[in-house]
Amino acid sequence: MKNVYTTSLNLQNTDFGLLLFRLFIGGLMLTHGVPKLLKFFGEGEIAFADPIGVGETVTFTFAVFAEFVCAILIILGWATRFAAIPLILTMAVAAIIVHWTDGFGSQELPLLYMAGFLLVFFTGAGKFSLDYHLLKKD
């Protein structure tokens, strides 16, 4: 039987795809991180869930760090794999602990984000990133 389908890996297309993916997933995560950052530096008391028992302020600070700072790092492609870890953990806590009793509809978005950040963690940032350009060995 003749093989009618062949696969070939075009590394330039793969790197461009990773760039687009980082821009989209990081940018979308910023829509969650920016309001938290504004609330963090705003007036008033912080009221936030404490699903793992470390305190509302610590939990909120970690969420702001992950959803704002780490999202920007992912967009830039700087320390990408390390930046993905807090985002993976934050999304896992949101899906598995915070929204556990809410059903799959509430868990779906954090699980989708978590899957995306797992992809970034395992693939890295690609060639179109600060990681590549600042750390490449000539």
Side-chain angles (χ1 to χ4, degrees):
M1 181 170 178
K2 185 178 178 185
N3 187 1
V4 294
Y5 179 78
T6 61
T7 61
S8 63
L9 184 60
N10 181 322
L11 293 180
Q12 186 170 359
N13 287 348
T14 302
D15 288 324
F16 186 67
L18 287 172
L19 170 65
L20 287 177
F21 188 76
R22 285 191 355 257
L23 293 175
F24 275 101
I25 199 159
L28 289 169
M29 182 51 64
L30 279 177
T31 66
H32 300 276
V34 169
K36 284 183 179 75
L37 181 73
L38 295 175
K39 184 177 178 182
F40 187 78
F41 288 111
E43 295 181 19
E45 193 172 324
I46 294 173
F48 196 71
D50 182 24
I52 56 175
V54 295
E56 289 180 3
T57 305
V58 172
T59 304
F60 188 65
T61 303
F62 185 77
V64 169
F65 172 74
E67 295 179 15
F68 183 77
V69 175
C70 292
I72 289 174
L73 291 174
I74 295 249
I75 289 169
L76 296 173
W78 178 242
T80 309
R81 287 187 164 125
F82 292 112
I85 294 169
L87 286 159
I88 292 165
L89 294 173
T90 301
M91 295 302 103
V93 168
I96 298 167
I97 299 173
V98 174
H99 295 294
W100 181 255
T101 59
D102 299 340
F104 183 70
S106 296
Q107 294 171 314
E108 185 176 8
L109 186 60
L111 288 172
L112 188 58
Y113 275 120
M114 187 175 78
F117 293 122
L118 281 166
L119 174 73
V120 170
F121 177 78
F122 285 110
T123 62
K127 194 173 186 177
F128 303 116
S129 66
L130 289 176
D131 284 344
Y132 178 82
H133 289 287
L134 297 175
L135 300 175
K136 70 180 176 181
K137 294 178 175 96
D138 292 324

